[in-house]
Amino acid sequence: MASLSKYVADSAGFTEKGAEWLQHLVGDWNLVSDLLRADLVLWIQREGKPTAVAHCRPATGSTVYYEDPVGLVLDEGEAPEIWDLLGGGAAARTARTVRREGREARGLVVPVRKNGVTLAALAVESPLQEGTLSDSAVKQEQLGTRLLRMLEQGAFPIEGAPIPPRRGAPRVGDGVVELDDQGVVQWASPNALSAFHRFGIDGDMAGITLAELSTEVLQTRVPVDESLPLVLMGRAAWRSDMQARGGTLSLRAVPLTENGQRIGAVILVRDVTELRRRERELITKDATIREVHHRVKNNLQTVAALLRLQSRRMKSDEAREALTEAMRRVSTIALVHEALLQGSQEAVYFDEVIDRCLRLAVDAASASVHRAGTPRLTDTQVEVRTERIGRAGSIRAEEATPLALVVTELATNAVEHGLSETGGTLTVRSDRTGSHLVINIEDDGVGMESATPSGLGTNIALTLVQGQLGGTLTWQNRPEGGTRATIEVYLDPIST
Protein backbone atom coordinates (compact mmCIF):
# COMPACT_ATOMS: atom_id res chain seq x y z
CA MET A 1 0.00 0.00 0.00
CA ALA A 2 1.44 3.39 -1.00
CA SER A 3 2.01 6.11 1.58
CA LEU A 4 0.37 9.54 1.58
CA SER A 5 3.57 11.17 0.33
CA LYS A 6 3.73 8.68 -2.55
CA TYR A 7 0.10 9.33 -3.54
CA VAL A 8 0.60 13.08 -3.43
CA ALA A 9 3.88 12.91 -5.34
CA ASP A 10 2.17 10.93 -8.09
CA SER A 11 -0.70 13.43 -8.34
CA ALA A 12 -0.48 16.46 -10.59
CA GLY A 13 -1.26 19.92 -9.24
CA PHE A 14 0.17 19.57 -5.73
CA THR A 15 2.75 22.11 -4.66
CA GLU A 16 5.38 21.28 -2.08
CA LYS A 17 3.59 23.42 0.52
CA GLY A 18 0.25 21.76 -0.29
CA ALA A 19 1.77 18.32 0.19
CA GLU A 20 3.32 19.40 3.50
CA TRP A 21 -0.04 20.73 4.69
CA LEU A 22 -1.72 17.36 4.08
CA GLN A 23 1.11 15.59 5.89
CA HIS A 24 0.69 18.02 8.79
CA LEU A 25 -3.05 17.33 8.87
CA VAL A 26 -2.60 13.56 8.97
CA GLY A 27 -0.08 14.00 11.78
CA ASP A 28 -2.66 15.69 14.04
CA TRP A 29 -6.11 14.68 12.83
CA ASN A 30 -6.61 12.04 15.54
CA LEU A 31 -7.82 14.99 17.70
CA VAL A 32 -10.74 15.61 15.33
CA SER A 33 -11.45 11.90 14.98
CA ASP A 34 -11.58 11.38 18.76
CA LEU A 35 -13.76 14.43 19.45
CA LEU A 36 -16.30 13.44 16.80
CA ARG A 37 -15.94 9.68 17.47
CA ALA A 38 -15.74 9.29 13.69
CA ASP A 39 -13.53 7.75 11.01
CA LEU A 40 -11.69 10.28 8.86
CA VAL A 41 -10.84 9.50 5.24
CA LEU A 42 -8.74 11.89 3.16
CA TRP A 43 -9.60 12.05 -0.56
CA ILE A 44 -7.55 13.72 -3.31
CA GLN A 45 -8.00 14.05 -7.05
CA ARG A 46 -5.67 11.56 -8.70
CA GLU A 47 -5.72 10.75 -12.41
CA GLY A 48 -9.11 12.41 -12.67
CA LYS A 49 -10.77 10.35 -9.93
CA PRO A 50 -11.15 10.74 -6.15
CA THR A 51 -8.68 8.45 -4.35
CA ALA A 52 -8.54 7.69 -0.63
CA VAL A 53 -4.98 8.36 0.54
CA ALA A 54 -5.20 8.30 4.37
CA HIS A 55 -7.51 6.97 7.09
CA CYS A 56 -7.85 7.57 10.82
CA ARG A 57 -9.95 5.55 13.29
CA PRO A 58 -11.26 7.07 16.53
CA ALA A 59 -9.90 5.96 19.87
CA THR A 60 -13.13 7.04 21.60
CA GLY A 61 -15.69 5.08 19.58
CA SER A 62 -16.27 2.24 17.13
CA THR A 63 -15.07 2.35 13.54
CA VAL A 64 -17.18 2.10 10.41
CA TYR A 65 -14.25 0.70 8.40
CA TYR A 66 -12.96 -2.73 9.30
CA GLU A 67 -11.05 -2.77 5.99
CA ASP A 68 -8.69 0.15 5.48
CA PRO A 69 -10.08 2.29 2.62
CA VAL A 70 -6.68 3.71 1.60
CA GLY A 71 -6.17 3.18 -2.12
CA LEU A 72 -9.90 3.07 -2.88
CA VAL A 73 -10.83 4.88 -6.12
CA LEU A 74 -14.36 6.23 -6.68
CA ASP A 75 -16.09 5.64 -10.00
CA GLU A 76 -18.38 8.17 -11.62
CA GLY A 77 -21.62 8.44 -9.64
CA GLU A 78 -20.16 7.14 -6.37
CA ALA A 79 -20.14 9.63 -3.47
CA PRO A 80 -21.17 12.64 -5.61
CA GLU A 81 -20.46 15.06 -2.73
CA ILE A 82 -16.75 14.09 -2.87
CA TRP A 83 -16.69 14.47 -6.67
CA ASP A 84 -18.34 17.90 -6.40
CA LEU A 85 -16.01 19.13 -3.67
CA LEU A 86 -12.81 18.04 -5.43
CA GLY A 87 -14.18 19.52 -8.65
CA GLY A 88 -14.46 22.96 -7.08
CA GLY A 89 -18.04 22.78 -5.81
CA ALA A 90 -19.36 24.06 -2.50
CA ALA A 91 -19.27 21.96 0.64
CA ALA A 92 -22.42 20.30 1.87
CA ARG A 93 -23.29 21.59 5.33
CA THR A 94 -25.50 18.70 6.42
CA ALA A 95 -24.68 15.10 7.16
CA ARG A 96 -26.21 12.31 5.14
CA THR A 97 -26.69 8.59 5.64
CA VAL A 98 -24.16 6.35 3.89
CA ARG A 99 -23.59 2.61 3.86
CA ARG A 100 -20.25 1.27 4.96
CA GLU A 101 -19.56 -2.45 4.81
CA GLY A 102 -23.24 -3.34 5.00
CA ARG A 103 -24.10 -0.94 7.83
CA GLU A 104 -25.60 2.53 7.84
CA ALA A 105 -23.43 5.42 9.01
CA ARG A 106 -23.59 9.18 9.28
CA GLY A 107 -21.36 10.92 6.74
CA LEU A 108 -20.19 14.48 6.21
CA VAL A 109 -17.63 15.79 3.70
CA VAL A 110 -15.67 18.98 4.36
CA PRO A 111 -12.98 20.65 2.24
CA VAL A 112 -9.34 20.76 3.31
CA ARG A 113 -8.25 24.26 2.36
CA LYS A 114 -5.06 26.30 2.58
CA ASN A 115 -4.75 29.87 1.37
CA GLY A 116 -8.20 29.62 -0.24
CA VAL A 117 -7.29 26.54 -2.31
CA THR A 118 -9.10 23.23 -1.84
CA LEU A 119 -6.40 20.59 -1.50
CA ALA A 120 -8.51 17.58 -0.57
CA ALA A 121 -11.84 16.39 0.78
CA LEU A 122 -12.21 15.00 4.29
CA ALA A 123 -14.96 12.44 4.82
CA VAL A 124 -16.18 12.31 8.44
CA GLU A 125 -18.14 9.10 9.03
CA SER A 126 -19.50 7.69 12.27
CA PRO A 127 -21.95 4.94 13.29
CA LEU A 128 -25.58 5.99 13.67
CA GLN A 129 -26.25 6.83 17.30
CA GLU A 130 -28.81 4.87 19.27
CA GLY A 131 -30.52 6.85 22.02
CA THR A 132 -29.57 10.24 23.37
CA LEU A 133 -25.97 11.42 23.53
CA SER A 134 -24.50 12.26 26.92
CA ASP A 135 -23.70 15.87 27.77
CA SER A 136 -19.99 15.08 27.53
CA ALA A 137 -20.38 13.52 24.06
CA VAL A 138 -22.39 16.52 22.86
CA LYS A 139 -19.71 18.94 24.08
CA GLN A 140 -16.94 16.97 22.42
CA GLU A 141 -18.88 16.88 19.16
CA GLN A 142 -19.32 20.66 19.29
CA LEU A 143 -15.57 21.11 19.76
CA GLY A 144 -14.85 18.72 16.90
CA THR A 145 -17.25 20.67 14.66
CA ARG A 146 -15.35 23.87 15.46
CA LEU A 147 -12.13 22.21 14.34
CA LEU A 148 -13.83 21.18 11.08
CA ARG A 149 -14.74 24.83 10.46
CA MET A 150 -11.12 25.78 11.11
CA LEU A 151 -10.10 23.08 8.64
CA GLU A 152 -12.27 24.70 5.96
CA GLN A 153 -10.69 28.08 6.70
CA GLY A 154 -7.14 26.74 6.49
CA ALA A 155 -6.58 27.33 10.24
CA PHE A 156 -6.27 23.67 11.23
CA PRO A 157 -3.89 21.95 11.68
CA ILE A 158 -2.17 24.78 13.53
CA GLU A 159 1.17 25.82 12.11
CA GLY A 160 4.01 25.62 14.60
CA ALA A 161 2.36 22.95 16.75
CA PRO A 162 4.82 20.23 17.88
CA ILE A 163 3.97 17.28 15.64
CA PRO A 164 4.55 14.34 15.99
CA PRO A 165 3.53 14.31 19.64
CA ARG A 166 6.12 13.97 22.36
CA ARG A 167 6.13 10.94 24.64
CA GLY A 168 3.14 10.96 26.97
CA ALA A 169 1.12 13.47 24.92
CA PRO A 170 -2.53 13.57 26.04
CA ARG A 171 -5.44 12.39 23.91
CA VAL A 172 -9.16 13.18 24.00
CA GLY A 173 -9.91 10.08 26.04
CA ASP A 174 -7.52 11.24 28.78
CA GLY A 175 -9.40 14.47 29.47
CA VAL A 176 -10.71 17.59 27.69
CA VAL A 177 -11.21 21.14 28.97
CA GLU A 178 -12.88 23.95 26.97
CA LEU A 179 -11.69 27.52 27.57
CA ASP A 180 -13.02 30.83 26.27
CA ASP A 181 -10.79 33.53 24.79
CA GLN A 182 -9.88 34.76 28.31
CA GLY A 183 -8.80 31.33 29.53
CA VAL A 184 -11.92 30.77 31.63
CA VAL A 185 -13.08 27.17 31.93
CA GLN A 186 -16.37 26.62 30.10
CA TRP A 187 -16.55 22.83 30.44
CA ALA A 188 -14.39 19.91 31.54
CA SER A 189 -14.85 16.23 30.75
CA PRO A 190 -15.21 13.77 33.65
CA ASN A 191 -11.69 12.40 33.05
CA ALA A 192 -10.24 15.92 33.06
CA LEU A 193 -12.02 16.74 36.33
CA SER A 194 -10.68 13.56 37.91
CA ALA A 195 -7.13 14.40 36.80
CA PHE A 196 -7.26 17.90 38.23
CA HIS A 197 -8.97 16.72 41.43
CA ARG A 198 -6.05 14.34 42.06
CA PHE A 199 -3.81 17.40 41.96
CA GLY A 200 -5.77 19.34 44.55
CA ILE A 201 -8.16 21.37 42.38
CA ASP A 202 -11.50 20.73 44.09
CA GLY A 203 -15.05 21.37 43.03
CA ASP A 204 -16.46 22.60 39.75
CA MET A 205 -13.88 24.33 37.58
CA ALA A 206 -16.35 26.20 35.35
CA GLY A 207 -16.24 29.99 35.45
CA ILE A 208 -12.64 30.25 36.75
CA THR A 209 -9.49 30.70 34.69
CA LEU A 210 -7.47 27.49 34.41
CA ALA A 211 -4.27 29.43 35.08
CA GLU A 212 -5.66 30.70 38.40
CA LEU A 213 -6.77 27.23 39.45
CA SER A 214 -3.41 25.71 38.56
CA THR A 215 -1.29 28.39 40.22
CA GLU A 216 -2.72 27.48 43.63
CA VAL A 217 -1.40 23.90 43.47
CA LEU A 218 1.88 24.33 41.55
CA GLN A 219 4.98 23.23 43.40
CA THR A 220 6.97 26.38 44.08
CA ARG A 221 10.33 24.62 44.29
CA VAL A 222 9.98 22.89 40.94
CA PRO A 223 11.11 24.81 37.81
CA VAL A 224 8.09 25.73 35.67
CA ASP A 225 8.18 25.33 31.90
CA GLU A 226 8.12 28.81 30.38
CA SER A 227 5.40 27.70 27.96
CA LEU A 228 3.03 26.57 30.76
CA PRO A 229 1.23 29.96 31.20
CA LEU A 230 0.53 30.12 27.45
CA VAL A 231 -0.82 26.56 27.50
CA LEU A 232 -3.03 27.19 30.57
CA MET A 233 -4.51 30.30 28.89
CA GLY A 234 -4.97 28.46 25.59
CA ARG A 235 -2.99 31.07 23.68
CA ALA A 236 -0.39 28.81 22.05
CA ALA A 237 -0.56 25.42 20.37
CA TRP A 238 1.98 23.75 22.59
CA ARG A 239 2.50 21.09 25.23
CA SER A 240 3.79 21.47 28.76
CA ASP A 241 4.03 19.53 32.01
CA MET A 242 2.65 20.79 35.32
CA GLN A 243 3.94 19.31 38.57
CA ALA A 244 1.87 19.45 41.72
CA ARG A 245 1.57 17.35 44.90
CA GLY A 246 4.24 14.94 43.71
CA GLY A 247 2.43 14.23 40.43
CA THR A 248 2.68 15.45 36.86
CA LEU A 249 -0.01 16.51 34.39
CA SER A 250 0.75 16.72 30.69
CA LEU A 251 -1.23 19.55 29.05
CA ARG A 252 -1.75 20.31 25.40
CA ALA A 253 -3.47 23.47 24.15
CA VAL A 254 -5.24 23.77 20.81
CA PRO A 255 -6.45 27.36 20.21
CA LEU A 256 -9.87 27.68 18.53
CA THR A 257 -10.24 30.44 15.95
CA GLU A 258 -13.05 31.91 13.86
CA ASN A 259 -12.13 33.99 10.81
CA GLY A 260 -8.64 34.49 12.19
CA GLN A 261 -9.76 35.56 15.68
CA ARG A 262 -9.10 33.39 18.75
CA ILE A 263 -12.39 32.46 20.39
CA GLY A 264 -11.19 29.89 22.92
CA ALA A 265 -9.14 26.74 23.23
CA VAL A 266 -9.27 23.02 23.76
CA ILE A 267 -6.98 21.75 26.53
CA LEU A 268 -6.12 18.06 26.57
CA VAL A 269 -4.89 16.75 29.90
CA ARG A 270 -3.29 13.47 30.95
CA ASP A 271 -1.91 12.24 34.26
CA VAL A 272 1.65 11.17 33.42
CA THR A 273 2.94 10.83 36.98
CA GLU A 274 3.92 7.18 36.60
CA LEU A 275 5.38 7.72 33.14
CA ARG A 276 7.59 10.58 34.30
CA ARG A 277 8.65 8.60 37.38
CA ARG A 278 9.81 5.74 35.21
CA GLU A 279 11.63 8.15 32.91
CA ARG A 280 13.45 9.62 35.91
CA GLU A 281 14.37 6.12 37.08
CA LEU A 282 15.80 5.31 33.66
CA ILE A 283 17.81 8.54 33.63
CA THR A 284 19.13 7.79 37.12
CA LYS A 285 19.94 4.22 36.15
CA ASP A 286 21.75 5.36 33.03
CA ALA A 287 23.77 7.90 34.99
CA THR A 288 24.65 5.27 37.60
CA ILE A 289 25.78 2.78 34.95
CA ARG A 290 27.93 5.41 33.28
CA GLU A 291 29.53 6.30 36.61
CA VAL A 292 30.26 2.61 37.28
CA HIS A 293 31.91 2.22 33.88
CA HIS A 294 33.89 5.41 34.50
CA ARG A 295 35.17 4.18 37.85
CA VAL A 296 35.96 0.69 36.54
CA LYS A 297 37.89 2.23 33.64
CA ASN A 298 39.88 4.46 36.03
CA ASN A 299 40.60 1.57 38.36
CA LEU A 300 41.79 -0.64 35.51
CA GLN A 301 44.01 2.13 34.21
CA THR A 302 45.46 2.49 37.70
CA VAL A 303 46.17 -1.26 37.83
CA ALA A 304 47.82 -1.07 34.40
CA ALA A 305 49.99 1.82 35.57
CA LEU A 306 51.03 -0.12 38.70
CA LEU A 307 51.95 -3.13 36.56
CA ARG A 308 53.99 -0.87 34.28
CA LEU A 309 55.88 0.58 37.26
CA GLN A 310 56.46 -2.89 38.66
CA SER A 311 57.75 -4.21 35.34
CA ARG A 312 60.40 -1.48 35.22
CA ARG A 313 61.79 -2.69 38.57
CA MET A 314 62.07 -6.28 37.39
CA LYS A 315 65.60 -7.48 36.71
CA SER A 316 64.42 -10.64 34.98
CA ASP A 317 63.44 -10.20 31.33
CA GLU A 318 60.86 -12.98 31.65
CA ALA A 319 59.18 -11.30 34.62
CA ARG A 320 59.25 -7.93 32.88
CA GLU A 321 57.56 -9.38 29.78
CA ALA A 322 54.92 -11.16 31.86
CA LEU A 323 54.00 -7.94 33.66
CA THR A 324 53.91 -6.04 30.37
CA GLU A 325 51.51 -8.58 28.89
CA ALA A 326 49.32 -8.38 31.99
CA MET A 327 49.34 -4.58 31.71
CA ARG A 328 48.25 -4.77 28.07
CA ARG A 329 45.36 -7.11 28.87
CA VAL A 330 44.11 -4.91 31.69
CA SER A 331 44.33 -1.88 29.39
CA THR A 332 42.25 -3.71 26.77
CA ILE A 333 39.45 -4.33 29.26
CA ALA A 334 39.60 -0.65 30.20
CA LEU A 335 39.09 0.22 26.52
CA VAL A 336 35.73 -1.57 26.52
CA HIS A 337 34.52 0.32 29.59
CA GLU A 338 35.67 3.59 28.04
CA ALA A 339 33.65 2.75 24.91
CA LEU A 340 30.60 1.99 27.06
CA LEU A 341 30.84 5.49 28.48
CA GLN A 342 30.26 6.94 25.01
CA GLY A 343 27.06 5.00 24.25
CA SER A 344 23.49 5.26 25.50
CA GLN A 345 22.99 1.56 26.14
CA GLU A 346 24.90 -1.52 27.29
CA ALA A 347 26.49 -2.02 23.89
CA VAL A 348 29.80 -1.09 22.30
CA TYR A 349 30.48 0.18 18.79
CA PHE A 350 33.23 -2.38 18.29
CA ASP A 351 34.98 -0.85 15.28
CA GLU A 352 36.26 1.97 17.49
CA VAL A 353 37.49 -0.62 20.00
CA ILE A 354 39.35 -2.44 17.21
CA ASP A 355 41.15 0.79 16.26
CA ARG A 356 42.32 1.24 19.85
CA CYS A 357 43.29 -2.43 20.17
CA LEU A 358 45.49 -2.13 17.08
CA ARG A 359 47.29 0.92 18.46
CA LEU A 360 47.72 -0.79 21.82
CA ALA A 361 49.06 -3.98 20.24
CA VAL A 362 51.72 -2.15 18.22
CA ASP A 363 52.72 0.25 20.99
CA ALA A 364 53.06 -2.61 23.50
CA ALA A 365 55.15 -4.74 21.13
CA SER A 366 58.91 -5.15 21.25
CA ALA A 367 61.27 -2.20 21.15
CA SER A 368 62.21 -3.02 17.55
CA VAL A 369 58.77 -1.82 16.31
CA HIS A 370 57.22 1.62 15.93
CA ARG A 371 53.70 2.44 14.72
CA ALA A 372 53.30 4.36 11.49
CA GLY A 373 52.77 8.04 12.22
CA THR A 374 54.75 8.00 15.49
CA PRO A 375 58.40 9.06 15.96
CA ARG A 376 61.11 6.46 15.37
CA LEU A 377 63.03 6.01 18.61
CA THR A 378 66.03 4.20 17.09
CA ASP A 379 67.35 3.77 13.57
CA THR A 380 66.91 -0.01 13.84
CA GLN A 381 63.14 0.14 14.47
CA VAL A 382 60.86 -1.23 11.76
CA GLU A 383 57.53 0.45 10.89
CA VAL A 384 54.17 -1.31 11.31
CA ARG A 385 51.10 0.13 9.59
CA THR A 386 47.58 -0.72 10.79
CA GLU A 387 44.30 -0.73 8.91
CA ARG A 388 40.72 -1.77 9.59
CA ILE A 389 38.47 -2.99 6.78
CA GLY A 390 34.75 -3.78 7.01
CA ARG A 391 32.36 -3.24 9.86
CA ALA A 392 31.76 -5.17 13.08
CA GLY A 393 28.95 -2.91 14.34
CA SER A 394 27.55 -2.78 17.88
CA ILE A 395 28.19 -5.65 20.28
CA ARG A 396 26.86 -6.35 23.76
CA ALA A 397 29.23 -5.44 26.57
CA GLU A 398 29.35 -9.05 27.81
CA GLU A 399 30.73 -10.15 24.43
CA ALA A 400 32.78 -7.06 23.65
CA THR A 401 35.20 -7.56 26.56
CA PRO A 402 36.39 -11.09 25.64
CA LEU A 403 36.34 -10.25 21.93
CA ALA A 404 38.53 -7.18 22.51
CA LEU A 405 40.99 -9.28 24.50
CA VAL A 406 41.15 -11.85 21.70
CA VAL A 407 41.71 -9.20 19.00
CA THR A 408 44.46 -7.58 21.08
CA GLU A 409 46.20 -10.92 21.76
CA LEU A 410 46.12 -11.94 18.09
CA ALA A 411 47.22 -8.49 16.91
CA THR A 412 50.09 -8.50 19.40
CA ASN A 413 51.16 -11.97 18.27
CA ALA A 414 51.07 -10.84 14.65
CA VAL A 415 53.35 -7.90 15.42
CA GLU A 416 55.80 -9.72 17.66
CA HIS A 417 56.11 -12.91 15.61
CA GLY A 418 55.37 -11.75 12.09
CA LEU A 419 56.36 -8.09 11.74
CA SER A 420 58.92 -7.33 14.46
CA GLU A 421 61.88 -7.97 12.14
CA THR A 422 60.58 -6.94 8.71
CA GLY A 423 57.81 -4.44 9.47
CA GLY A 424 54.71 -4.35 7.29
CA THR A 425 50.93 -4.02 7.59
CA LEU A 426 48.61 -5.34 10.27
CA THR A 427 45.04 -5.60 8.98
CA VAL A 428 41.76 -6.40 10.71
CA ARG A 429 38.92 -7.38 8.35
CA SER A 430 35.39 -7.58 9.77
CA ASP A 431 32.40 -9.14 8.05
CA ARG A 432 29.07 -8.84 9.89
CA THR A 433 25.83 -10.42 8.64
CA GLY A 434 23.12 -10.17 11.28
CA SER A 435 24.43 -11.98 14.35
CA HIS A 436 27.20 -13.75 12.38
CA LEU A 437 30.57 -12.02 12.79
CA VAL A 438 33.87 -13.01 11.19
CA ILE A 439 37.05 -11.11 12.09
CA ASN A 440 40.35 -11.78 10.29
CA ILE A 441 43.61 -10.50 11.81
CA GLU A 442 46.22 -10.54 9.04
CA ASP A 443 49.87 -9.59 8.66
CA ASP A 444 52.15 -9.63 5.66
CA GLY A 445 55.20 -10.71 7.62
CA VAL A 446 57.30 -13.88 7.68
CA GLY A 447 54.37 -16.22 8.22
CA MET A 448 54.11 -19.09 10.66
CA GLU A 449 55.68 -22.49 10.54
CA SER A 450 53.63 -25.64 10.08
CA ALA A 451 52.84 -25.82 13.79
CA THR A 452 49.83 -23.98 15.17
CA PRO A 453 50.80 -20.98 17.33
CA SER A 454 51.10 -21.75 21.01
CA GLY A 455 51.81 -19.86 24.17
CA LEU A 456 49.89 -18.18 26.96
CA GLY A 457 48.38 -15.50 24.71
CA THR A 458 47.18 -18.09 22.20
CA ASN A 459 45.67 -20.26 24.93
CA ILE A 460 43.86 -17.23 26.40
CA ALA A 461 42.45 -16.33 22.98
CA LEU A 462 41.27 -19.91 22.31
CA THR A 463 39.66 -20.17 25.74
CA LEU A 464 37.80 -16.88 25.34
CA VAL A 465 36.56 -17.63 21.82
CA GLN A 466 35.46 -21.19 22.50
CA GLY A 467 34.37 -20.83 26.13
CA GLN A 468 32.77 -17.38 26.43
CA LEU A 469 31.84 -16.61 22.83
CA GLY A 470 30.97 -20.11 21.62
CA GLY A 471 32.91 -19.54 18.39
CA THR A 472 35.95 -20.85 16.54
CA LEU A 473 39.51 -19.57 16.14
CA THR A 474 41.75 -20.82 13.34
CA TRP A 475 45.13 -19.88 11.81
CA GLN A 476 46.50 -20.25 8.30
CA ASN A 477 49.31 -19.00 6.12
CA ARG A 478 48.29 -16.38 3.57
CA PRO A 479 49.10 -17.31 -0.05
CA GLU A 480 50.65 -13.88 -0.57
CA GLY A 481 52.76 -14.22 2.56
CA GLY A 482 52.08 -13.71 6.22
CA THR A 483 49.53 -15.16 8.64
CA ARG A 484 45.77 -14.94 9.02
CA ALA A 485 43.90 -15.66 12.25
CA THR A 486 40.13 -16.02 11.85
CA ILE A 487 37.55 -15.51 14.60
CA GLU A 488 34.01 -16.69 13.83
CA VAL A 489 31.21 -16.12 16.35
CA TYR A 490 27.43 -15.76 16.52
CA LEU A 491 26.50 -12.82 18.71
CA ASP A 492 23.45 -12.38 20.92
CA PRO A 493 20.99 -9.68 19.80
CA ILE A 494 21.15 -6.30 21.52
CA SER A 495 18.03 -5.71 23.59
CA THR A 496 16.40 -2.26 23.26
Side-chain angles (χ1 to χ4, degrees), residues 246-258:
T248 305
L249 288 181
S250 178
L251 303 170
R252 178 195 176 188
V254 181
L256 299 175
T257 61
E258 186 73 40

Side-chain angles (χ1 to χ4, degrees), residues 108-126:
L108 177 68
V109 181
V110 296
V112 178
R113 292 197 177 108
K114 183 60 176 173
N115 298 326
V117 178
T118 299
L119 301 175
L122 184 69
V124 183
E125 300 173 353
S126 57

Side-chain angles (χ1 to χ4, degrees), residues 432-443:
R432 176 83 176 264
T433 304
S435 62
H436 184 217
L437 174 62
V438 178
I439 299 180
N440 291 300
I441 295 93
E442 306 174 353
D443 67 78

Side-chain angles (χ1 to χ4, degrees), residues 382-402:
V382 297
E383 182 178 81
V384 173
R385 296 172 297 278
T386 61
E387 63 177 354
R388 174 176 55 82
I389 300 174
R391 178 179 176 276
S394 296
I395 297 177
R396 295 172 62 247
E398 292 86 346
E399 296 168 319
T401 298

Side-chain angles (χ1 to χ4, degrees), residues 109-366:
V109 181
V110 296
V112 178
R113 292 197 177 108
K114 183 60 176 173
N115 298 326
V117 178
T118 299
L119 301 175
L122 184 69
V124 183
E125 300 173 353
S126 57
L128 292 179
Q129 297 294 333
E130 297 181 1
T132 304
L133 291 176
S134 65
D135 293 341
S136 179
V138 171
K139 271 292 186 181
Q140 291 184 23
E141 190 168 304
Q142 291 172 353
L143 294 174
T145 302
R146 288 189 183 183
L147 292 177
L148 289 182
R149 290 201 298 269
M150 291 173 58
L151 187 71
E152 293 186 49
Q153 298 169 4
F156 185 85
I158 300 172
E159 292 184 289
I163 302 297
R166 297 180 298 187
R167 179 173 171 82
R171 298 283 298 267
V172 170
D174 298 315
V176 184
V177 178
E178 179 189 1
L179 305 181
D180 66 8
D181 59 341
Q182 299 300 314
V184 177
V185 177
Q186 303 299 300
W187 167 81
S189 71
N191 285 347
L193 288 172
S194 296
F196 280 107
H197 287 170
R198 286 194 295 272
F199 282 74
I201 299 177
D202 299 325
D204 188 8
M205 299 168 58
I208 309 174
T209 61
L210 185 59
E212 180 183 346
L213 289 168
S214 301
T215 301
E216 297 175 356
V217 297
L218 283 175
Q219 292 181 354
T220 56
R221 296 183 181 181
V222 178
V224 176
D225 190 338
E226 60 183 10
S227 64
L228 180 59
L230 295 175
V231 172
L232 292 174
M233 294 297 293
R235 293 179 178 176
W238 204 253
R239 295 185 181 90
S240 183
D241 281 358
M242 181 178 75
Q243 297 187 33
R245 293 196 174 185
T248 305
L249 288 181
S250 178
L251 303 170
R252 178 195 176 188
V254 181
L256 299 175
T257 61
E258 186 73 40
N259 297 321
Q261 298 296 318
R262 187 170 60 86
I263 60 174
V266 173
I267 306 294
L268 303 179
V269 56
R270 177 184 177 187
D271 186 346
V272 292
T273 302
E274 183 63 18
L275 179 62
R276 296 292 183 260
R277 185 186 66 80
R278 292 182 180 181
E279 288 177 348
R280 288 192 295 269
E281 286 181 352
L282 289 175
I283 293 173
T284 303
K285 178 182 177 182
D286 182 68
T288 302
I289 291 174
R290 287 175 182 272
E291 180 62 22
V292 168
H293 287 309
H294 180 70
R295 294 189 182 187
V296 170
K297 181 205 71 170
N298 289 345
N299 290 340
L300 289 173
Q301 289 177 338
T302 301
V303 172
L306 292 174
L307 291 173
R308 187 182 300 110
L309 290 173
Q310 187 68 30
S311 67
R312 292 173 181 173
R313 300 173 63 89
M314 291 292 103
K315 297 180 179 180
S316 166
D317 292 340
E318 183 178 357
R320 188 181 301 109
E321 290 178 2
L323 288 174
T324 301
E325 289 181 0
M327 180 270 297
R328 186 187 67 245
R329 289 161 186 151
V330 171
S331 298
T332 301
I333 299 174
L335 287 179
V336 175
H337 286 279
E338 185 175 359
L340 285 168
L341 279 170
Q342 311 303 320
S344 59
Q345 54 184 350
E346 285 296 279
V348 177
Y349 186 64
F350 200 68
D351 297 291
E352 295 179 355
V353 176
I354 290 177
D355 290 336
R356 297 180 183 183
C357 289
L358 288 176
R359 291 195 296 270
L360 182 63
V362 178
D363 292 342
S366 62

